[in-house]
Amino acid sequence: MQIFKTKWFARFARKEHINDEMLMNAIREIERGLADGELGAELIKKRIARIGEGKRGGYRTIIAYRVESLSVFLYGFPKNAKSNLSPVELDVYHRLAHIYLGFSNEDFTKAQQDGEVEEVHP
């Protein structure tokens, strides 16, 4: 499984102290069937716990997810800041998921070199 985070998401994660191990744990939970919402078209919503507080006071993440092969963290927000995505936002994230899940290895290499995505490492 390759796991990436977009430039925007990487900035958000650093600001909120969400580390790569937390992201890897989220993907492991999804692989065990513990997603918090399937948004269609290979888009998943997953809660991530805030350090020391648990998932109830944590974050929601939006992930482009292809079973057993690829995950891209697209967006995240504190759970108390927003209840859900608007229909327009959902449409945008569906389009982004389609783009990222269509990337070849070469596309991801170039995106990494350009600073548009970062690989999540254990």
Side-chain angles (χ1 to χ4, degrees):
M1 167 72 73
Q2 288 185 291
I3 305 171
F4 294 93
K5 52 191 169 184
T6 63
K7 179 180 180 178
W8 185 93
F9 188 91
R11 203 173 315 126
F12 165 78
R14 277 191 300 278
K15 178 182 165 217
E16 298 295 335
H17 308 289
I18 300 169
N19 61 41
D20 282 1
E21 187 59 36
M22 295 164 76
L23 300 178
M24 303 239 354
N25 286 338
I27 297 303
R28 286 185 201 111
E29 288 180 6
I30 291 169
E31 289 176 333
R32 292 193 329 260
L34 300 173
D36 296 309
E38 296 200 19
L39 304 174
E42 300 178 302
L43 202 60
I44 301 268
K45 179 170 59 175
K46 179 68 181 149
R47 290 186 189 107
I48 294 180
R50 191 180 300 257
I51 295 175
E53 292 188 39
K55 291 182 183 177
R56 186 168 249 169
Y59 306 97
R60 288 187 172 145
T61 61
I62 306 300
I63 306 163
Y65 178 77
R66 180 160 293 140
V67 177
E68 297 181 9
S69 65
L70 178 63
S71 297
V72 182
F73 284 85
L74 302 173
Y75 183 63
F77 53 95
K79 191 175 167 204
N80 63 359
K82 181 180 203 156
S83 61
N84 255 323
L85 298 176
S86 73
V88 171
E89 290 172 312
L90 189 57
D91 182 56
V92 168
Y93 291 115
H94 276 126
R95 290 171 193 241
L96 275 175
H98 179 75
I99 291 167
Y100 280 116
L101 294 174
F103 270 21
S104 66
N105 287 335
E106 293 79 22
D107 293 330
F108 274 110
T109 299
K110 173 125 176 55
Q112 283 179 285
Q113 290 169 347
D114 293 345
E116 294 303 317
V117 297
E118 295 178 19
E119 191 161 10
V120 174
H121 296 285

